[in-house]
Amino acid sequence: MEPGTDRDEGTEPTLDADFFIRWLDAAAAAVARDADRLTELDAAIGDADHGSNLNRGFAAVTRRLTEKPPNAPGAVLTGAGRTLISSVGGASGPLYGTLLRRAGKELGDAPRVSRVQLAEALRSGVGAVAELGGAGGGDKTMLDALQPAVEGLTRSFGAAATAAEEGALATVPLRARRGRAAYLGDRSIGHQDPGAASSALLIGALADTATRAADDDGHRGNGADRV
Amino acid sequence: MEPGTDRDEGTEPTLDADFFIRWLDAAAAAVARDADRLTELDAAIGDADHGSNLNRGFAAVTRRLTEKPPNAPGAVLTGAGRTLISSVGGASGPLYGTLLRRAGKELGDAPRVSRVQLAEALRSGVGAVAELGGAGGGDKTMLDALQPAVEGLTRSFGAAATAAEEGALATVPLRARRGRAAYLGDRSIGHQDPGAASSALLIGALADTATRAADDDGHRGNGADRV
Amino acid sequence: MKMLINVPERVVEDALRGMAAVHPELTVDVANRVVVRRDAPVANKVGLVSGGGSGHEPLHGGFVGPGMLDAACPGEVFTSPVPDQMVRAAAAVDSGEGVLFIVKNYTGDVLNFEMAAELAAEEGIRVETVTVSDDVALAAGEGSGRRGTGGTLFVERLAGAVAEAGAPLERVTEVARRVADSCRSFGVALAPCSTPARGGPTFDLPEGELELGIGIHGEPGRERRGMMTSGEIADATVDALVNDLRPDEPVLVLVNGMGATPLLELYGYASEVMRALGERSVVPARTLVGDYVTSLDMAGCSVTLCPVDEELLRLWETPVRTPALRWGA
Amino acid sequence: MKMLINVPERVVEDALRGMAAVHPELTVDVANRVVVRRDAPVANKVGLVSGGGSGHEPLHGGFVGPGMLDAACPGEVFTSPVPDQMVRAAAAVDSGEGVLFIVKNYTGDVLNFEMAAELAAEEGIRVETVTVSDDVALAAGEGSGRRGTGGTLFVERLAGAVAEAGAPLERVTEVARRVADSCRSFGVALAPCSTPARGGPTFDLPEGELELGIGIHGEPGRERRGMMTSGEIADATVDALVNDLRPDEPVLVLVNGMGATPLLELYGYASEVMRALGERSVVPARTLVGDYVTSLDMAGCSVTLCPVDEELLRLWETPVRTPALRWGA
Ligand SMILES: Nc1ncnc2c1ncn2[C@@H]1O[C@H](COP(=O)(O)OP(=O)(O)O)[C@@H](O)[C@H]1O
Ligand SMILES: Nc1ncnc2c1ncn2[C@@H]1O[C@H](COP(=O)(O)OP(=O)(O)O)[C@@H](O)[C@H]1O
Ligand SMILES: [Mg+2]
Ligand SMILES: [Mg+2]
Ligand SMILES: [Mg+2]
Ligand SMILES: [Mg+2]
């Protein structure tokens, strides 16, 4: 059973560093699995590298988290953000890196955070992405999945995943105004934005991790504790 | 009716400069028509240019013969040979050029020559080709069509054409020992030599011209006179 | 799509090992992906650093050496490098006179160099950045702005020449910016390229069609048309360039192959470009013909015009000694 | 197959007009197809003339200039030039010191240059001829003999260097012959080329297969194999070279792209070639990486080794100034 969907805030588990590590590992697995699909999407309106870019970056994140796992959610995210910046390159590297770094900084060194706190931290992160890249909603970028995801996350993990997925699909009819796809003008219409698709994967991994944590929680109380 | 096939030598028409010009024009037409086929043959075991090489050369020959038609068979052939040497390039340019120049020189400045005289002149030409290129019969070159053609021509125009055609086809199972096809070693086996194929075209054009001359001769005595 | 590689993941690393093996005049840090001229930092000289995704060779690594770049940072294929590379390069080439970053205008390159500039500044290195956005296939100022393509060669060369002469950072930046602002490029693809990661073409381009206004990353162009002759392509290209910027000075011309177009064809195309320029009263001062800013094995070509006054032309002529551009040395 | 051309029949003429337009340091006779260095005939200097079918650019026109060729005669695509061209070139470059013909060993080239040498001699020009037959894919002395490929670059450069230094015809010929006799090349194709006249590939090469021991005219190779890695290709290539001639001197190395192979891949291949040479105790003295002796848009590569003593290495280093090979000038 997913935390937050059928309980009130007060009884939803809080999230520790281990939860965040498992989230990013799940994200890495999802990216590895879907790398070819992301690259295909990028081939249509970009330069055919988004899948391999993120795969390289998240593999580095997983390595780093395994080697020295941080012990606070904030540190997990800032570390992962720095790793993405140092290993991805391209547009998505600094953007995803900034998303996670800024969110991590917002979380500070609290050992546990709530879903709502995470939502607020990600909201800051998404703001930083918008500022860095100069894009807004509807420009056919990762923001079109991330912005609704943050709103969803204030309600529940499941709502975040659904919103991200819908946001990603909603980029199909849009005309790109930022990033490489913008070079295509009207020819960008009719294709899903690869960054929005990968954002949906990351948020999907978050929701999956929360579901699994809640299930485990029912059995042996692993990682996510009641507040 | 073809001259020489059903008459004895004495009644066969002799060949004047005009006959030689019409032969080379017919050869040019045949080469133009079959250029793609020759190039395809060359693609299989050479460098895919034999058709365009000869086409360029014979077009130049036709132009030259139209501009200033020589008035002796020998001059027609030496001029055509020089033109081929100056316009074809490749292996076939010097070889065909030498064939015609040498044959032309043999014919000297006689205003008319017999078929047998032509056969002897071409025999010298073929010898010069063998000397220049260092090839012999069975090496899978133009010689495999030209040598039997000369023998055939001592009997009749038709026999020359048939022998050239058979000689060209007989190059298929051979392993090339000269020219570009030799680089392929055993992989040259199973393909017809493009130069042998073009030689068959040239000799075929000779026979056709003779046939047409004989026909015309029946009607209005054009070009080929009784000796 | 067959490639002369070991494994797709190691293409850039292998190429850098090759550069290290055959260019003793360069220091190639394969692990950290930085190519530096052997004698860096050169005393009293501004350091020039560029970089970008790989797949455009000889750009940028082939342009490292006296009279051009001090360092290049190659990213993965078609992926901008990461800030760590530029910071390392800046540290390696800074003699105390500061460093100029030359950046092609792609979101990825811009963002990564931006981060690098911040980090380098934190380490006490003076950094200026000049962005090249010369591709007239795109309207200026719209969306992501214009892409940086062939003009980069002229910026790197002319800024490199003035830096080699000992000019201060402000002056080198000014020259680079002037060149970046006045260069114009336009490219055409006859066949798409294939990236090692993808193993196949980045877009479909049927027989009998071409793409006008392509980028250098396998992006499709702005417009697809029926096949054109080399003369027609030259007219369309020169029109696009001259309509955007009618040069009143002589121009340096780059007739650039995208990778798979034979030099025989490229020289034929150059003759049509020269004709088209002449018909529009544009005066070529110097012309380069060859593969300089490529897109892997794409078939096609681009043309770049770089207006020059006497000073820039003089700078162009000064000695340059790099793997891919060399004269007077 | 799309090409950047006007019409197939005019490809060579168009390219020559392009060379004429962009290389003021050359005299390009488009109608007669001769490319001559502008200052020819150079007093007291032996003239060097080469030529062959077009489609191998920059060979030979791109190698005309001080320190290399005095003239080049381009034939039709993959078709040797005609004697008239070589005779004209010889007359244009002969200062009275005589002329050396550098000929790649193909029946067509050999025969046409032979006729030209006779005609030039009739005009009172002293002519020597050196034939390059460096391709170890073929057994020496069999059939048409070995083809001339990448080694031609070394013959043209080293003979050009000694001619530039004022050596007499005998000495220039001797150097050219020594180099021609000791060079070895081996080439591999990953994809065939397409000639303009044919408009499509000259042979079929299915996905997943390559050709070992190819020529530079779109001829298929001696052996077809399943696809190999760049390291495996380097081993096969260096084995073929070293088994034929184990060099006891250092070697000049040419890692040559056939036309469509990206420079990124070629540098990666160069690193494998360097490894393979090292493992077989062959010492590279200098290495060139790039497209020098190409085969239109063929994908693939060749390697040429040219053993050098100190004298040849010194000649190699002297200034050369041609469109495609330039240093020290
Ligand atoms: N200015 C921007 N703001 C937000 N997202 C952007 C921006 N530019 C690009 N993106 C995102 O990055 C994705 C492309 O990432 P990627 O392919 O890894 O980088 P690159 O475009 O450099 O190859 C796009 O699909 C888009 O979602
Ligand atoms: N040494 C030779 N002797 C006789 N004929 C030869 C010789 N070498 C080549 N040929 C002929 O020339 C033909 C090829 O001509 P062509 O394709 O025009 O020239 P190239 O081989 O230079 O491209 C071959 O098919 C062969 O018949
Ligand atoms: Mg991308
Ligand atoms: Mg041929
Ligand atoms: Mg990219
Ligand atoms: Mg040929």
Side-chain angles (χ1 to χ4, degrees):
Chain A
M1 203 194 320
E2 193 203 327
T5 46
D6 58 347
R7 314 181 196 188
D8 63 56
E9 278 285 310
T11 63
E12 189 177 58
T14 57
L15 316 165
D16 62 4
D18 191 52
F19 175 89
F20 279 81
I21 291 173
R22 277 180 289 123
W23 167 25
L24 295 178
D25 284 347
V31 164
R33 193 189 59 223
D34 280 19
D36 287 350
R37 180 175 66 89
L38 295 176
T39 290
E40 285 305 308
L41 291 176
D42 199 25
I45 57 171
D47 59 351
D49 64 359
H50 189 55
S52 48
N53 285 350
L54 284 195
N55 200 18
R56 183 173 60 247
F58 275 92
V61 166
T62 305
R63 261 198 313 277
R64 189 194 153 108
L65 292 174
T66 313
E67 277 162 20
K68 36 177 188 174
N71 48 24
V76 173
L77 293 189
T78 49
R82 267 201 304 276
T83 304
L84 290 181
I85 289 172
S86 297
S87 62
V88 174
S92 57
L95 291 168
Y96 276 127
T98 295
L99 173 74
L100 297 189
R101 270 179 77 195
R102 177 61 68 89
K105 278 189 186 153
E106 289 291 318
L107 295 179
D109 49 14
R112 297 171 186 287
V113 301
S114 72
R115 169 175 52 74
V116 171
Q117 284 173 318
L118 173 58
E120 292 313 317
L122 284 175
R123 190 193 302 283
S124 295
V126 171
V129 168
E131 200 187 327
L132 180 64
D139 283 354
K140 195 173 186 129
T141 69
M142 56 174 67
L143 289 176
D144 292 322
L146 291 174
Q147 284 172 340
V150 167
E151 296 317 315
L153 191 58
T154 59
R155 297 195 303 281
S156 73
F157 285 107
T162 307
E165 193 53 53
E166 286 172 2
L169 290 175
T171 61
V172 172
L174 297 178
R175 184 179 188 278
R177 277 195 297 260
R178 289 285 157 184
R180 231 173 255 292
Y183 305 142
L184 286 182
D186 287 342
R187 288 171 76 182
S188 65
I189 293 172
H191 300 276
Q192 187 176 175
D193 177 62
S198 60
S199 287
L201 277 185
L202 305 192
I203 303 295
L206 172 62
D208 289 350
T209 308
T211 307
R212 242 177 271 126
D215 290 353
D216 288 355
D217 190 38
H219 304 309
R220 45 190 171 85
N222 187 353
D225 291 349
R226 313 278 137 196
V227 183
Chain B
M1 200 193 324
E2 192 201 331
T5 46
D6 58 349
R7 312 183 196 187
D8 65 55
E9 278 287 310
T11 63
E12 189 178 57
T14 57
L15 315 164
D16 62 4
D18 191 52
F19 174 89
F20 279 81
I21 291 174
R22 278 181 289 123
W23 167 24
L24 294 178
D25 285 346
V31 164
R33 192 189 59 223
D34 280 19
D36 287 349
R37 179 174 68 86
L38 295 176
T39 290
E40 285 306 308
L41 291 176
D42 199 24
I45 56 172
D47 59 352
D49 63 359
H50 189 56
S52 48
N53 284 351
L54 284 195
N55 200 18
R56 184 174 58 250
F58 276 92
V61 167
T62 304
R63 260 196 315 277
R64 190 194 151 108
L65 291 174
T66 313
E67 277 162 20
K68 36 177 188 174
N71 48 24
V76 173
L77 293 189
T78 49
R82 266 200 306 276
T83 304
L84 290 181
I85 289 170
S86 297
S87 62
V88 174
S92 57
L95 291 169
Y96 275 128
T98 295
L99 172 75
L100 298 189
R101 271 179 75 194
R102 176 63 66 91
K105 280 189 186 154
E106 290 291 318
L107 295 179
D109 47 16
R112 299 172 184 283
V113 302
S114 72
R115 170 175 53 74
V116 171
Q117 284 172 317
L118 173 58
E120 291 315 317
L122 284 175
R123 190 194 303 284
S124 295
V126 171
V129 168
E131 199 186 330
L132 181 63
D139 283 353
K140 195 174 185 125
T141 70
M142 55 174 68
L143 289 176
D144 292 322
L146 291 174
Q147 284 173 340
V150 167
E151 296 317 315
L153 191 57
T154 59
R155 297 193 303 279
S156 75
F157 286 105
T162 307
E165 192 55 51
E166 285 172 1
L169 290 175
T171 61
V172 173
L174 297 178
R175 184 177 188 279
R177 276 194 297 261
R178 288 286 156 182
R180 234 173 253 292
Y183 305 143
L184 286 182
D186 287 342
R187 288 171 75 182
S188 65
I189 293 171
H191 301 274
Q192 187 177 174
D193 177 62
S198 60
S199 287
L201 277 185
L202 305 192
I203 302 296
L206 172 63
D208 288 350
T209 308
T211 308
R212 241 176 273 126
D215 290 353
D216 287 357
D217 191 38
H219 306 308
R220 47 192 170 85
N222 188 353
D225 291 346
R226 312 277 138 198
V227 184
Chain C
M1 188 65 204
K2 286 166 283 182
M3 293 174 185
L4 183 60
I5 63 175
N6 287 310
V7 290
E9 297 72 28
R10 245 179 50 202
V11 167
V12 175
E13 181 191 325
D14 283 355
L16 288 175
R17 286 193 294 116
M19 288 204 84
V22 309
H23 294 300
E25 71 280 16
L26 302 177
T27 305
V28 181
D29 181 341
V30 176
N32 294 300
R33 302 200 172 183
V34 183
V35 179
V36 184
R37 64 185 264 194
R38 171 74 68 192
D39 57 353
V42 181
N44 303 318
K45 186 184 137 356
V46 169
L48 262 64
V49 174
S50 191
S54 293
H56 310 303
E57 290 65 29
L59 184 84
H60 301 269
F63 296 148
V64 174
M68 216 160 168
L69 296 177
D70 292 85
C73 306
E76 278 299 318
V77 172
F78 292 172
T79 302
S80 70
V82 299
D84 315 46
Q85 292 170 267
M86 290 77 115
V87 173
R88 196 177 288 266
V93 308
D94 184 27
S95 68
E97 295 296 320
V99 171
L100 176 67
F101 284 174
I102 298 173
V103 184
K104 301 196 296 304
N105 186 38
Y106 299 96
T107 309
D109 294 69
V110 169
L111 296 182
N112 284 285
F113 269 100
E114 226 170 81
M115 293 195 159
E118 278 172 34
L119 293 168
E122 283 171 20
E123 294 187 15
I125 303 173
R126 269 201 303 155
V127 176
E128 291 286 347
T129 298
V130 167
T131 306
V132 186
S133 52
D134 57 328
D135 184 354
V136 302
L138 305 165
E142 195 192 273
S144 318
R146 287 178 162 174
R147 300 176 284 221
T149 62
T152 316
L153 179 149
F154 293 113
V155 176
E156 294 180 356
R157 168 62 188 129
L158 294 168
V162 74
E164 204 71 39
L169 182 57
E170 294 63 35
R171 172 89 182 108
V172 175
T173 305
E174 180 202 301
V175 167
R177 192 156 289 145
R178 175 143 62 99
V179 175
D181 288 349
S182 63
C183 278
R184 296 293 185 275
S185 296
F186 189 82
V188 175
L190 275 61
C193 59
S194 296
T195 59
R198 198 146 179 272
T202 53
F203 58 93
D204 288 327
L205 192 43
E207 198 56 25
E209 289 184 14
L210 52 70
E211 291 268 344
L212 293 180
I214 49 141
I216 53 174
H217 299 90
E219 314 97 312
R222 283 292 280 238
E223 195 190 341
R224 185 165 288 192
R225 288 243 205 116
M227 193 53 200
M228 298 159 75
T229 65
S230 134
E232 290 164 349
I233 295 172
D235 281 320
T237 296
V238 172
D239 270 339
L241 295 171
V242 171
N243 288 342
D244 195 81
L245 175 88
R246 180 167 295 279
D248 45 15
E249 292 169 317
V251 291
L252 306 175
V253 185
L254 170 62
V255 179
N256 178 61
M258 301 307 295
T261 289
L263 197 54
L264 182 70
E265 295 181 20
L266 204 60
Y267 266 104
Y269 183 59
S271 92
E272 296 294 346
V273 170
M274 294 296 122
R275 172 196 54 72
L277 289 172
E279 287 170 7
R280 288 155 187 85
S281 309
V282 179
V283 181
R286 299 286 184 277
T287 303
L288 284 181
V289 179
D291 290 6
Y292 290 99
V293 180
T294 62
S295 189
L296 292 172
D297 63 343
M298 179 178 271
C301 53
S302 66
V303 176
T304 303
L305 304 182
C306 174
V308 284
D309 57 14
E310 276 178 24
E311 189 206 357
L312 290 180
L313 187 55
R314 202 178 37 69
L315 285 172
W316 179 255
E317 296 287 317
T318 61
V320 57
R321 181 182 178 157
T322 72
L325 211 64
R326 184 166 176 178
W327 54 71
Chain D
M1 188 65 202
K2 285 166 283 183
M3 293 175 186
L4 183 61
I5 62 176
N6 287 311
V7 290
E9 297 72 27
R10 245 180 49 203
V11 166
V12 176
E13 180 190 325
D14 283 355
L16 288 175
R17 287 193 296 115
M19 288 204 84
V22 309
H23 294 299
E25 72 277 19
L26 302 176
T27 304
V28 182
D29 181 341
V30 177
N32 293 300
R33 303 203 170 181
V34 183
V35 179
V36 184
R37 65 185 265 194
R38 172 72 69 189
D39 57 354
V42 181
N44 303 319
K45 187 184 137 353
V46 169
L48 263 64
V49 174
S50 190
S54 293
H56 310 302
E57 290 65 30
L59 185 85
H60 298 269
F63 296 147
V64 175
M68 218 159 166
L69 295 177
D70 292 84
C73 306
E76 278 299 317
V77 171
F78 292 172
T79 302
S80 69
V82 299
D84 315 48
Q85 292 169 267
M86 289 78 115
V87 172
R88 197 176 289 266
V93 307
D94 184 28
S95 67
E97 294 295 320
V99 171
L100 176 66
F101 284 174
I102 299 173
V103 184
K104 302 196 295 306
N105 186 39
Y106 298 97
T107 308
D109 294 70
V110 170
L111 296 181
N112 284 285
F113 270 99
E114 225 170 82
M115 294 194 159
E118 277 172 35
L119 293 168
E122 283 171 21
E123 294 187 15
I125 303 174
R126 267 201 304 154
V127 176
E128 292 284 348
T129 298
V130 166
T131 306
V132 186
S133 52
D134 58 328
D135 185 353
V136 302
L138 306 165
E142 195 192 274
S144 318
R146 287 179 161 173
R147 299 176 284 222
T149 62
T152 316
L153 180 149
F154 293 113
V155 176
E156 293 180 357
R157 168 60 187 130
L158 293 168
V162 74
E164 203 71 40
L169 182 56
E170 293 64 34
R171 171 88 182 108
V172 175
T173 305
E174 179 202 301
V175 167
R177 193 156 289 145
R178 176 143 62 100
V179 175
D181 288 348
S182 62
C183 279
R184 295 294 185 274
S185 295
F186 189 82
V188 174
L190 276 60
C193 60
S194 296
T195 59
R198 198 149 179 269
T202 53
F203 58 92
D204 287 327
L205 191 44
E207 197 58 24
E209 289 185 15
L210 50 71
E211 289 269 344
L212 293 180
I214 49 142
I216 55 174
H217 299 90
E219 314 98 312
R222 281 293 278 238
E223 194 190 341
R224 186 164 289 190
R225 287 244 204 117
M227 192 54 200
M228 298 159 76
T229 64
S230 134
E232 289 164 350
I233 295 172
D235 280 320
T237 297
V238 172
D239 270 338
L241 295 171
V242 171
N243 288 343
D244 196 81
L245 176 86
R246 180 167 295 279
D248 45 17
E249 292 168 317
V251 291
L252 305 175
V253 185
L254 170 62
V255 179
N256 178 60
M258 299 307 295
T261 288
L263 197 54
L264 182 70
E265 294 181 20
L266 204 60
Y267 266 104
Y269 183 59
S271 92
E272 297 293 346
V273 170
M274 293 296 121
R275 173 195 54 72
L277 288 173
E279 287 170 7
R280 289 154 186 85
S281 309
V282 179
V283 181
R286 299 286 183 278
T287 303
L288 284 181
V289 179
D291 290 5
Y292 291 99
V293 180
T294 62
S295 188
L296 292 172
D297 63 342
M298 179 178 272
C301 53
S302 67
V303 176
T304 303
L305 303 183
C306 174
V308 283
D309 58 15
E310 275 177 24
E311 189 206 356
L312 289 180
L313 187 55
R314 201 178 38 69
L315 285 172
W316 179 254
E317 296 288 316
T318 61
V320 56
R321 181 181 178 158
T322 73
L325 210 65
R326 183 166 177 179
W327 54 72

